[in-house]
Amino acid sequence: MSDIRYRHWISSMGKKSTASVHQLKTLPPTSEAFVENVKRAHFQACIWRSALTGEAPDMDPLENGWVSDDNFGVLMPVTLPPQTEIAPAAVMKLIQCGCSSETPCSTERCGCVAGQMSCSALCHCRAERRTCRNRWTLLKQRIEDANDSDEDESNDEGDRDD
């Protein structure tokens, strides 16, 4: 699916105006994004079905395409699993946001925010913690930090076993 997606996007680039060619929203979903979407759809269907019976499904949303955002007290959809590339490197070199305000990437005017994707090192903000205000970038950074701390704890436990 990802290969077909890439080939289709490349072939369609020649048919579009230069203003729309390199926008993030023109990228179709990856196989990994499709899987996350199916998880969320299945979870939602189970909730709807349970509404008829009056019993909540015995399912954890955090295992079905959602992640908890404790800062805002909401569940956010997992659009891509952590450490998954949204596109081949050749495509990512062409795509970037150019936000340059005092609070870059804080509104839907940012191509990354509008595409519900985190910013990258190629963006004007460079996805730096001190400058980028993209909620998807901040969420990705929190997830990566949590994964790093989990790995550190696992390594510490392994050291104690010795």
Side-chain angles (χ1 to χ4, degrees):
M1 184 175 186
S2 292
D3 185 51
I4 291 169
R5 162 189 172 262
Y6 175 70
R7 284 189 275 140
H8 173 72
W9 188 75
I10 293 296
S11 69
S12 67
M13 280 179 50
K15 300 174 188 170
K16 297 186 178 195
S17 70
T18 45
S20 66
V21 169
H22 303 302
Q23 293 183 358
L24 288 171
K25 63 185 175 186
T26 64
L27 283 172
T30 63
S31 299
E32 296 84 0
F34 176 74
V35 168
E36 294 301 323
N37 192 41
V38 168
K39 286 180 186 178
R40 289 189 308 276
H42 174 70
F43 182 71
Q44 186 64 53
C46 290
I47 289 173
W48 288 340
R49 179 176 282 185
S50 71
L52 299 173
T53 64
E55 293 183 25
D58 187 25
M59 298 174 72
D60 182 1
L62 301 179
E63 294 177 5
N64 288 282
W66 296 91
V67 65
S68 177
D69 185 346
D70 296 331
N71 289 341
F72 297 106
V74 297
L75 291 174
M76 299 283 292
V78 175
T79 53
L80 280 175
Q83 313 302 326
T84 303
E85 295 296 325
I86 61 172
V91 173
M92 290 307 295
K93 288 180 182 175
L94 301 173
I95 297 175
Q96 57 185 310
C97 72
C99 299
S100 58
S101 68
E102 288 184 25
T103 56
C105 314
S106 59
T107 68
E108 294 288 324
R109 291 182 66 195
C110 170
C112 297
V113 173
Q116 296 184 348
M117 299 181 197
S118 62
C119 291
S120 72
L122 301 170
C123 295
H124 190 267
C125 66
R126 302 213 186 290
E128 292 179 355
R129 291 176 192 264
R130 60 184 168 79
T131 56
C132 182
R133 298 293 178 254
N134 179 340
R135 66 181 172 264
W136 303 101
T137 303
L138 299 173
L139 180 60
K140 181 180 177 186
Q141 290 169 345
R142 282 196 296 269
I143 291 169
E144 288 172 353
D145 289 347
N147 289 342
D148 289 346
S149 67
D150 289 346
E151 287 175 13
D152 290 345
E153 288 175 12
S154 296
N155 290 339
D156 290 344
E157 289 174 10
D159 291 344
R160 281 183 251 149
D161 291 342
D162 293 337

